[in-house]
């Protein structure tokens, strides 16, 4: 019995001290760690894909008169990085910061506000201007080396498109 | 005058240095756990914190309120009966018996306090403490008596002096038995059953807070020092000089070494169950009695 | 002839015309049965065919066919075959005969079905409320489809439902908050001196409404992240199990590499869970050194998981159809190195433990559960294996990549806490070995399956051997890209029902250890079900008022 006790003692002493100096020294994270979400408003298209997949449903798409705001309230974030995964332009990413404590809850809100494009037909805003520009770019990518104007229906809201298409089928006027 | 001075010194050592020893024990535990551990002075901070905290009174009765003070008081009294490098301040013929009584008193106050707090956990803890007391105190008494038989005196300093002059076999048995009850007397694992945080949440102390808890804790730490010092003085009396201050230092160092040993045993063992502990100490009582029989036979 | 057909033939000869076969495969049979035959059939399956009752799942299918559906899931562990007995309950009748008299382990499941759907199990020996809070209104059943997930009914009158002791036993309340129960759970121990003579349990304090949320709001790929949060230790088990259930229902073929990655993560989780358990067991018996050292050894696994998945605990790896992150080739050496270190260090620790006499004194003969009692109470996982019951889902019902790996399940026959410790110790090394094998055999290829829409109203059952035992996920697919019903049975659900039996011969000192020996995970068990504890009106107490209240309550409470 005493022998096993000495063995235990040896085992314990061999390991040495493992307490890390944190918080006196910064805590290290591994590469690929999913920490604080960052929203890059310069890239965001306002497509809302992140809001659709977010498991805790803490990303909101707020449409106002002429603007669309993508708001991330990461006080409820679960750091799953699904938003990062689905973002088509990489505007939302998770960095390696994990010290998120704050005294002001608003510190945990991120937002990007984008201007909306208005429907040529009825004047309602239907998508963001940046989204429209991106669609245009993708429709005629640079490598095609053709510069064509986008089709007219690009700048018409889906509702109007339906109506116009219906009236066209009935024999009415074509797209204005 | 000298008695008063030494008495003051003993009380100061027991009261002021006991948190330091506790701090050292915590540090030892931390080393075994491979962690940094709290600062050595942490027990002092703990005491200060508890003293400043609000006192939540669970039960209004007199026993509940007075038990902590009486417990600490009995420990201070014990401090006057133990030789710490010098002769015991209140040493008189028969002090060995008084000492055993007083040490038991401190445990009894813990039991009373626990019982008075009318909490089922405190009750269980007090129960366990009582059962443990019944098997541990006899060992203490028997080993001191063995010394008394050999030294033909009930005076602690005589017993200690006899051990120094002729360390006989029976004295060694008594010493070993005494050493084995240090662990339960200090409420250290494997015999911290009465407190057993993970089973009954500190047992008798569960309802205590603030100043009262501080008194209990302080009494506890004081008791640790007293016990270890007593063992060192009676059964390990060899390292002595003729100069009192050096003797005091030496005995403090002895206490330090012993508390480290006690802590090592505590960190390398699990807590035993009450029936296992009782069975164990029943064996020790027999062992200690055998030592006494040897002493009577003159060995 | 396959096991399934053989079994169905047997049932057909014994109960002619009682069962309608909905579908049958190599591994599972979905049967429909009328409620008059249910008890006899359950009795036959459990007590003659040696099938193990797993769970009863109630679904409100009134929007589809005006019926409630109850699925009783059984497992034939010897053959590795699952049976689901479906009983339709008319929306106006709302009762079904209880199978608890023939299968004691079904007691909780039937109580839960009543709480959630209001379907009475007739003849249930102990029909008390199980899941819902004491102040939940009597006539509100939260898993009904017409109950909204964010509905907060006003609190009803509180009814005391806990048992009182017989005779002179003293009541010792353990919980709802207790230092060694990391999660809220309330055990009422009836003790005489130190001896425990009886106990009652009230749990389900941590309902988080997860199942209801999935019922109403979450879509297929949001659920895995919610499932992961069912448990604080074995989250990957739950997300993986959920995904497998959906994949089974939708017949999605998961790429081999994804299956291997799932296996590796499951086993890494088992390694850190078992090391955690060994530490906790040590802590409970006052041996904090074991706690500190085994957790020190465990820490590199957590770092490894952080590196592989991006987080030390909530991995977020699973989606329906595969996994999100690959384990790149250049990480393999580091994984192997960490495993080697953990293996040698845990070997030393476990060697020290099993030679430590005082430690053995605390573990041996404590909380013994006999093989027969274990079978009756349907215990699972290490608890069952320590009692000599051969139930290891990885071997009997291979999922992920286990079918392609070489492993042997650990068994002990002692049935006590020591046996459970030894089983876990052995499993720790098996898990290390499995990760090594999986890394070696892992094929190249995609990690996510391609699939189109998931068809509605298909059933999927997935069993996974979690570190604590078998966890079951049941999914009924629905329209709108969302599950119609998702139900979870965490392993602790089965184990906790065996606790009174284990406690019956023990002392107060053994109690925390026995409870810990099933490696309980109360929040897992409680997952789900309902929208939190019903909302009280918020009253702000001044400090003195609160103290006064607590003191009054204390004085009025139990005392010895």
């Amino acid at each position: 019995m005493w022998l096993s006790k000495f063995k235990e003692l040896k085992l314990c002493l061999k390991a040495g001290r493992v307490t890390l100096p944190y918080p006196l020294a910064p805590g290290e994270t591994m590469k690929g760690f999913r920490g604080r979400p960052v929203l890059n408003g310069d890239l965001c298209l306002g497509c809302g894909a992140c809001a659709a997949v977010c498991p805790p449903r803490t990303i909101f798409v707020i449409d106002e008169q002429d603007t669309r705001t993508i708001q991330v309230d990461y006080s409820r974030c679960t750091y799953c990085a699904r938003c990062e995964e689905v973002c088509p332009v990489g505007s939302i990413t998770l960095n390696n910061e994990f010290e998120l404590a704050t005294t002001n809850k608003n510190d945990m809100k991120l937002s990007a506000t984008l201007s909306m494009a208005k429907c040529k037909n009825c004047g309602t805003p239907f998508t963001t201007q940046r989204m429209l520009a991106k669609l245009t770019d993708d429709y005629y990518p640079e490598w095609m080396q053709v510069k064509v104007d986008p089709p007219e229906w690009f700048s018409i809201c889906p509702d109007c498109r339906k109506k116009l298409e219906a009236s066209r089928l009935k024999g009415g006027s074509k797209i204005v | 005058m000298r008695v008063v001075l030494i008495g003051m010194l003993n009380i100061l050592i027991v009261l002021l240095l006991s948190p330091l020893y506790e701090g050292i024990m915590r540090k030892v535990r931390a080393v075994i756990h491979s962690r940094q551990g709290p600062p050595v002075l942490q027990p002092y901070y703990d005491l200060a914190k508890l003293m400043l905290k609000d006192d939540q009174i669970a039960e209004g009765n007199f026993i509940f309120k007075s038990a902590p003070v009486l417990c600490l008081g009995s420990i201070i009294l014990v401090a006057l009966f133990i030789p710490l490098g010098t002769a015991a301040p209140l040493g008189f013929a028969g002090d060995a018996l008084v000492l055993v009584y007083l040490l038991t008193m401190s445990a009894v106050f813990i039991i009373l306090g626990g019982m008075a707090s009318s909490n089922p956990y405190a009750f269980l803890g007090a129960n366990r403490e009582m059962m443990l007391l019944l098997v541990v105190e006899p060992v203490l008494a028997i080993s001191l008596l063995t010394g008394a038989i050999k030294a033909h005196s009930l005076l602690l300093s005589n017993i200690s002096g006899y051990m120094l002059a002729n360390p006989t076999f029976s004295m060694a048995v008594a010493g070993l038995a005494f050493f084995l009850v240090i662990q339960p007397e200090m409420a250290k694992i494997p015999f911290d059953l009465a407190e057993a945080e993970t089973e009954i949440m500190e047992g008798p102390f569960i309802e205590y807070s603030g100043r009262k808890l501080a008194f209990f804790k302080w009494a506890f730490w004081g008791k640790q020092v007293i016990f270890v010092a007593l063992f060192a003085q009676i059964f390990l009396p060899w390292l002595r000089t003729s100069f009192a201050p050096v003797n005091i230092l030496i005995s403090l160092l002895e206490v330090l070494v012993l508390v480290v040993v006690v802590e090592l045993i505590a960190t390398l063992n699990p807590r035993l169950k009450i029936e296992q502990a009782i069975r164990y100490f029943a064996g020790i009582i027999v062992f200690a009695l055998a030592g006494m029989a040897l002493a009577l036979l003159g060995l | 002839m396959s096991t399934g057909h053989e079994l169905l033939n047997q049932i057909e000869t014994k109960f002619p015309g009682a069962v309608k076969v909905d579908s049958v495969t190599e591994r599972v049979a979905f049967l429909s049965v009328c409620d008059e035959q249910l008890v006899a059939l359950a009795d036959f399956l459990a007590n003659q065919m040696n099938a193990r009752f797993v769970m009863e799942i109630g679904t409100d299918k009134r929007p589809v066919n005006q019926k409630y559906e109850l699925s009783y899931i059984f497992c034939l562990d010897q053959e590795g075959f699952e049976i689901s007995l479906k009983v339709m309950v008319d929306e106006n009748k709302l009762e079904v005969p209880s199978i608890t008299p023939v299968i004691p382990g079904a007691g909780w499941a039937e109580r839960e079905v009543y709480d959630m759907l209001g379907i009475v199990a007739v003849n249930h020996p102990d029909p008390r409320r199980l899941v819902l809070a004491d102040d939940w209104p009597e006539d509100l059943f939260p898993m009904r489809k017409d109950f909204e997930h964010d509905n907060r009914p006003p609190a009803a009158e509180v009814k005391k439902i806990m048992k009182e002791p017989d005779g002179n036993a003293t009541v010792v309340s353990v919980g709802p908050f207790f230092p060694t129960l990391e999660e809220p759970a309330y055990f009422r121990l009836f003790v005489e001196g130190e001896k425990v003579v009886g106990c009652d349990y009230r749990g389900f304090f941590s309902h988080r409404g997860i199942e209801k949320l999935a019922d109403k709001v979450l879509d297929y790929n949001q659920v895995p992240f919610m499932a992961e949060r069912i448990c604080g230790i074995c989250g990957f088990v739950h997300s993986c199990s959920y995904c497998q259930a959906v994949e089974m229902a939708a017949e999605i073929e998961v790429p081999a590499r994804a299956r291997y990655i799932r296996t590796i993560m499951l086993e890494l989780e088992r390694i850190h869970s078992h090391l955690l358990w060994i530490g906790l067991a040590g802590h409970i018996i006052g041996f904090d050194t074991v706690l500190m050292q085994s957790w020190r050894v465990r820490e590199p696994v957590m770092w490894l998981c952080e590196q592989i998945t991006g987080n030390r605990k909530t991995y977020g790896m699973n989606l329906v159809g595969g996994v999100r992150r690959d384990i790149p080739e250049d990480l393999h050496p580091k994984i192997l190195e960490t495993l080697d270190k953990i293996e040698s260090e845990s070997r030393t620790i476990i060697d020290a433990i099993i030679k430590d006499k005082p430690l053995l004194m605390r573990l041996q003969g404590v909380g013994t559960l006999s093989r027969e009692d274990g079978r009756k109470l349907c215990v699972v996982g290490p608890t069952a294996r320590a009692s000599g019951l051969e139930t290891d889902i990885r071997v009997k019902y291979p999922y992920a990549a286990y079918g392609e790996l070489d492993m042997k399940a650990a068994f002990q026959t002692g049935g006590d806490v020591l046996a459970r410790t030894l089983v876990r110790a052995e499993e720790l090394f098996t898990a290390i070995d499995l990760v090594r094998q999986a890394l070696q055999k892992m094929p190249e290829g995609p990690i996510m399956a391609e699939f189109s829409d998931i068809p509605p109203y298909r059933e999927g059952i997935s069993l996974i051997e979690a570190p604590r035992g078998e966890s079951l996920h049941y999914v009924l697919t629905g329209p709108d890209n969302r599950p119609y019903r998702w139900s979870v049975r965490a392993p602790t659900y089965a184990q906790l029902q065996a606790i009174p039996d284990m406690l019956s011969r023990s002392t107060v000192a053994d109690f925390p250890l026995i409870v810990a020996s099933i490696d309980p995970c109360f929040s897992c068990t409680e997952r789900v079900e309902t929208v939190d504890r019903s909302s009280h009106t918020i009253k702000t107490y001044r400090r003195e008022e609160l103290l006064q209240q607590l003191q009054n309550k204390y004085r009025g409470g139990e005392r010895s």
Side-chain angles (χ1 to χ4, degrees):
Chain A
M1 179 190 147
W2 285 101
L3 191 68
S4 74
K5 294 290 173 206
F6 277 116
K7 270 191 194 153
E8 279 165 28
L9 187 62
K10 198 183 124 205
L11 167 87
C12 296
L13 293 178
K14 210 176 123 191
R17 191 178 115 179
V18 293
T19 312
L20 297 175
Y22 184 81
L24 299 176
E28 299 281 322
T29 53
M30 297 287 177
K31 193 170 154 274
F33 178 78
R34 309 187 304 260
R36 185 200 296 272
V38 190
L39 182 62
N40 184 346
D42 295 341
L43 292 176
C44 182
L45 296 175
C47 67
C50 45
V53 296
C54 182
R57 294 158 293 133
T58 188
I59 304 180
F60 306 95
V61 179
I62 304 159
D63 279 341
E64 270 158 15
Q65 201 54 45
D66 294 329
T67 57
R68 165 174 290 179
T69 307
I70 301 287
Q71 195 185 67
V72 183
D73 174 5
Y74 65 87
S75 59
R76 260 180 51 188
C77 180
T78 60
Y79 311 97
C80 65
R82 278 286 278 162
C83 46
E84 183 181 286
E85 199 173 72
V86 296
C87 184
V89 288
S91 80
I92 186 160
T93 48
L94 269 64
N95 66 15
N96 61 356
E97 284 171 47
F98 59 91
E99 290 152 319
L100 309 182
T102 170
T103 49
N104 182 1
K105 217 177 166 186
N106 285 329
D107 289 351
M108 304 194 98
K109 279 187 183 145
L110 306 168
S111 62
T113 305
L114 300 129
S115 2
M116 297 294 274
K118 284 187 182 143
C119 170
K120 250 190 192 169
N121 200 34
C122 61
T124 21
F126 69 101
T127 188
T128 58
Q129 285 181 359
R130 216 178 265 164
M131 188 72 170
L132 208 56
K134 163 102 170 139
L135 279 176
T136 319
D137 286 353
D138 287 354
Y139 203 73
Y140 293 108
E142 259 174 50
W143 53 265
M144 279 172 79
Q145 290 175 342
V146 190
K147 186 75 194 128
V148 191
D149 286 333
E152 236 175 329
W153 55 265
F154 257 44
S155 40
I156 296 174
C157 73
D159 271 352
C160 288
R161 273 180 228 163
K162 270 185 229 159
K163 280 182 204 147
L164 290 170
E165 185 64 4
S167 69
R168 187 184 67 81
L169 289 172
K170 268 198 273 172
S173 63
K174 255 193 104 188
I175 285 180
V176 279
Chain B
M1 190 57 207
R2 186 160 180 274
V3 170
V4 175
L5 269 181
I6 297 174
M8 293 294 285
L9 186 71
N10 268 13
I11 291 174
L12 283 181
I13 286 176
V14 167
L15 285 187
L16 293 188
L17 287 186
S18 59
L20 180 69
Y21 283 117
E22 169 70 18
I24 291 168
M25 285 162 98
R26 288 187 191 178
K27 207 72 185 175
V28 171
R29 200 179 315 155
V31 170
I32 302 294
H33 288 174
S34 301
R35 60 186 166 89
Q36 181 179 336
V40 177
L41 297 183
Q42 187 65 42
Y44 292 101
Y45 307 150
D46 286 358
L47 279 185
K49 180 189 74 183
L50 285 173
M51 290 289 182
L52 293 173
K53 277 212 167 183
D54 259 18
D55 200 351
Q56 300 304 332
I57 298 158
E59 276 293 326
N61 63 45
F62 173 72
I63 302 177
F64 180 83
K65 283 181 183 159
S66 51
V69 185
L70 291 173
C71 184
L72 186 60
S74 63
I75 288 297
I76 294 175
L77 209 55
V78 182
L80 297 175
F81 284 92
I82 54 157
L84 264 172
T86 58
L90 286 187
F92 62 90
D95 61 354
L97 288 180
V98 176
L99 189 81
V100 174
Y101 274 121
L102 283 176
L103 278 173
T104 315
M105 284 306 280
S106 66
V108 167
F109 287 127
I110 294 176
I111 294 172
L112 283 177
M115 294 265 187
S117 53
S118 75
N119 179 310
Y121 291 109
F123 213 77
L124 267 174
N127 248 328
R128 289 179 176 191
E129 179 85 44
M130 204 145 50
M131 285 196 261
L132 215 52
L133 208 62
L134 288 176
V135 285
V136 166
E137 295 298 317
V139 180
L140 188 67
I142 292 166
S143 48
L144 284 180
L145 268 179
T146 312
I149 288 166
K150 291 263 60 159
H152 297 292
S153 162
L154 275 170
L155 193 64
L156 283 176
S157 43
N158 285 355
I159 302 175
S160 167
Y162 178 83
M163 183 73 184
L164 181 64
N166 7 266
T168 56
F169 185 61
S170 58
M171 282 305 275
V173 171
L176 188 56
F178 194 104
F179 180 75
L180 290 174
V181 294
I182 289 181
Q183 220 78 16
E185 287 284 359
M186 284 172 69
K188 282 281 168 191
I189 290 171
F191 303 107
D192 71 328
L193 300 134
E195 286 74 40
E197 188 223 339
T198 51
E199 285 166 18
I200 53 169
M201 308 201 275
E202 303 288 338
F205 307 128
I206 187 168
E207 290 295 338
Y208 282 101
S209 58
R211 232 168 303 142
K212 294 198 182 69
L213 184 62
F215 285 155
F216 262 140
K217 280 203 182 286
W218 212 347
F220 231 93
W221 297 336
K223 198 175 170 189
Q224 294 181 346
V225 172
I226 286 172
F227 244 89
V228 172
L230 197 61
F231 175 71
Q233 287 298 319
I234 298 178
F235 295 101
L236 305 169
W238 292 286
L239 287 170
R240 296 285 177 274
T241 61
S242 50
F243 186 48
V246 176
N247 279 348
I248 293 174
L249 262 182
I250 289 174
S251 52
L252 290 181
L253 281 176
E254 280 175 343
V255 171
L256 178 66
V257 173
L258 281 168
V259 293
V260 170
V261 171
V262 166
E263 189 58 44
L264 280 181
I265 295 175
T267 49
L268 293 176
N269 276 296
R271 181 185 309 116
L272 290 183
K273 285 188 280 186
I274 187 76
E275 65 267 19
Q276 291 169 339
I278 287 175
R279 220 175 303 140
Y280 176 77
F281 282 110
I284 307 261
I285 290 179
V286 174
F287 177 69
L289 278 175
M292 192 157 83
L294 287 175
L296 287 171
L297 290 173
L299 276 166
Chain C
M1 204 171 4
S2 74
T3 330
H5 292 105
E6 219 169 277
L7 179 90
L8 293 181
N9 283 343
Q10 265 179 316
I11 293 177
E12 189 55 43
T13 35
K14 193 111 183 168
F15 304 93
V19 214
K20 191 173 122 305
V21 180
D22 295 335
S23 76
V24 56
T25 66
E26 280 299 300
R27 246 180 87 161
V28 55
F30 289 95
L31 313 174
S32 288
V33 59
C34 60
D35 54 0
E36 291 92 41
Q37 296 278 1
L38 173 69
V39 180
L41 198 58
D43 189 21
F44 170 72
L45 281 174
N47 297 329
Q48 285 182 42
M49 300 300 293
N50 258 331
R52 181 168 51 83
F53 173 78
V54 184
M55 188 59 182
E56 175 189 352
I57 294 147
T59 311
D60 178 6
K61 259 192 147 181
R62 286 177 301 162
V64 184
N65 59 8
Q66 282 76 48
K67 295 260 200 276
Y68 290 98
E69 277 183 16
L70 302 180
S71 297
Y72 297 77
I73 312 234
F74 290 86
C75 276
L76 284 166
D77 286 332
Q78 290 309 315
E79 293 81 7
F81 192 77
E82 297 152 34
I83 303 157
S84 156
L85 293 182
K86 187 180 291 169
V87 177
M88 297 286 200
V89 180
D90 195 84
E91 63 177 326
N92 301 317
K93 194 174 157 220
L94 292 179
E95 54 185 39
V96 70
S98 167
I99 60 164
T100 310
V102 290
I103 308 170
W108 276 25
E110 294 195 326
R111 286 162 74 182
E112 184 181 325
V113 167
Y114 174 74
D115 279 8
M116 292 299 130
L117 291 172
I119 298 172
V120 183
V122 182
N123 282 336
H124 192 291
D126 180 20
R128 288 178 296 162
R129 180 173 275 190
L130 176 74
V131 177
L132 296 177
D134 291 345
D135 60 355
W136 187 268
E138 286 274 315
D139 50 352
L140 267 186
F141 302 103
M143 278 311 275
R144 289 189 177 174
K145 285 280 175 187
D146 47 16
F147 186 94
E148 281 309 315
H149 75 284
D150 50 0
N151 185 355
R152 295 183 162 197
E157 193 190 339
V158 176
K159 280 194 181 159
K160 289 218 160 124
I161 58 164
M162 298 297 278
K163 283 184 192 155
E164 291 300 327
D166 316 320
N168 316 328
T170 312
V171 175
V172 174
S173 300
V174 181
F177 300 102
F178 192 74
T180 46
L181 303 173
E182 283 73 18
E183 295 162 281
Y186 176 38
F187 290 90
R188 227 167 125 89
L189 299 184
F190 308 140
V191 300
E192 283 171 3
E194 282 263 329
K195 242 184 78 197
V196 179
V197 294
C199 97
D200 195 16
Y201 173 76
R202 178 86 172 111
F204 296 85
F205 297 113
S206 343
H207 316 312
R208 289 158 286 168
I210 293 177
E211 269 181 23
K212 188 70 197 175
L213 204 58
D215 222 49
K216 287 279 180 190
V217 186
L218 302 179
D219 67 26
Y220 283 122
N221 272 339
Q222 285 175 334
V223 177
F225 300 94
M226 189 56 91
E228 194 159 61
R229 283 163 176 79
I230 289 174
C231 182
I233 311 285
C234 47
F236 194 87
V237 165
H238 288 289
S239 64
C240 184
S241 189
Y242 160 79
C243 290
Q244 286 185 6
V246 178
E247 285 151 12
M248 171 181 165
E251 290 168 10
I252 297 167
E253 185 79 30
V254 181
R257 192 173 174 87
R259 287 191 288 113
Y260 272 85
I261 292 173
R262 281 181 180 174
T263 309
I264 291 169
M265 291 316 298
L266 284 168
E267 290 307 315
L268 284 177
E269 205 165 65
R270 193 183 315 278
I271 295 171
H272 77 63
S273 175
H274 280 353
L275 280 169
L276 174 129
W277 181 82
I278 290 172
L280 277 185
H283 170 63
I284 284 165
I285 53 175
F287 206 160
D288 281 349
T289 310
V290 176
L291 168 77
M292 288 297 170
Q293 296 301 335
S294 72
W295 283 40
R296 174 180 62 76
V297 174
R298 169 183 183 258
E299 193 57 23
V301 192
M302 310 306 286
W303 293 336
L304 197 62
C305 291
E306 184 180 320
Q307 196 163 16
I308 296 173
T309 68
N311 208 317
R312 53 185 276 137
K313 177 60 218 26
T314 38
Y315 305 139
M317 283 281 270
N318 280 309
L319 285 181
V320 173
V323 292
R324 290 169 66 199
R325 279 203 200 182
D326 202 357
I327 300 181
E329 209 67 47
D330 53 343
L331 210 57
H332 289 201
K334 195 185 165 192
I335 298 176
L336 291 172
E337 197 185 306
T338 315
L339 287 179
D340 287 344
K341 195 160 162 261
I342 292 164
E343 187 175 28
S344 72
E345 286 190 312
S346 9
R347 185 78 70 190
T348 351
I349 289 185
I350 284 162
D351 280 351
I353 288 175
I354 55 176
K355 286 196 188 111
D356 192 312
K357 231 178 116 200
L359 192 74
L360 294 184
M361 277 165 73
R362 284 305 305 266
L363 304 182
Q364 238 157 5
V366 170
T368 315
L369 182 73
S370 71
R371 190 171 193 276
E372 187 46 36
D373 288 343
R375 199 190 66 79
K376 265 197 224 142
L377 292 163
C378 311
V379 295
V380 291
T383 313
R385 289 195 286 281
S387 294
L389 290 161
E390 298 183 22
T391 56
D392 193 318
I393 308 302
R394 291 174 292 173
V395 181
K396 299 288 180 185
Y397 310 81
Y399 53 92
Y402 288 105
E404 292 141 54
L405 303 176
D406 186 27
M407 74 158 283
K408 232 179 107 237
F411 290 112
Q412 291 285 331
T413 48
D416 55 1
V417 179
L418 178 66
R420 282 167 220 150
T421 314
L422 293 176
V423 166
R424 292 205 173 89
E426 198 180 326
E427 275 182 13
L428 176 63
F429 299 115
T430 318
I432 293 174
D433 182 51
L434 281 172
V435 178
R436 286 200 189 115
Q437 286 186 43
L439 277 179
Q440 204 185 6
K441 290 188 185 163
M442 189 156 73
E444 292 294 320
I447 54 170
M448 182 60 81
E450 306 255 336
F451 58 94
S452 51
D453 284 351
I454 294 169
Y457 307 116
R458 303 260 189 95
E459 285 175 289
I461 298 173
S462 158
L463 295 173
I464 280 195
E465 184 69 33
R468 291 160 177 70
E470 160 216 83
S471 99
L472 166 106
H473 280 237
Y474 168 90
V475 171
L476 176 67
T477 60
D480 318 326
N481 196 32
R482 298 204 306 103
Y484 188 86
R485 175 83 165 101
W486 164 50
S487 179
V488 187
R489 206 275 334 242
T492 310
Y493 198 87
Q495 326 275 50
L496 270 177
Q497 297 179 61
I499 283 282
D501 188 74
M502 297 184 201
L503 282 178
S504 59
R505 293 165 294 275
S506 71
T507 62
V508 177
D510 287 330
F511 162 77
L513 183 64
I514 292 175
V515 173
S517 75
I518 62 164
D519 203 354
C521 197
F522 297 107
S523 300
C524 282
T525 314
E526 292 154 15
R527 33 190 165 107
V528 296
E529 306 307 0
T530 168
V531 192
D532 219 304
R533 210 182 140 88
S534 66
S535 63
H536 294 281
T537 43
I538 295 167
K539 177 173 189 296
T540 318
Y541 286 103
R542 279 185 300 117
R543 191 166 158 282
E544 290 75 25
E545 281 175 342
L546 192 65
L547 285 173
Q548 193 56 46
Q549 278 230 336
L550 287 172
Q551 284 172 6
N552 289 345
K553 198 164 178 188
Y554 210 80
R555 297 238 168 75
E558 300 103 16
R559 52 172 63 180
S560 39

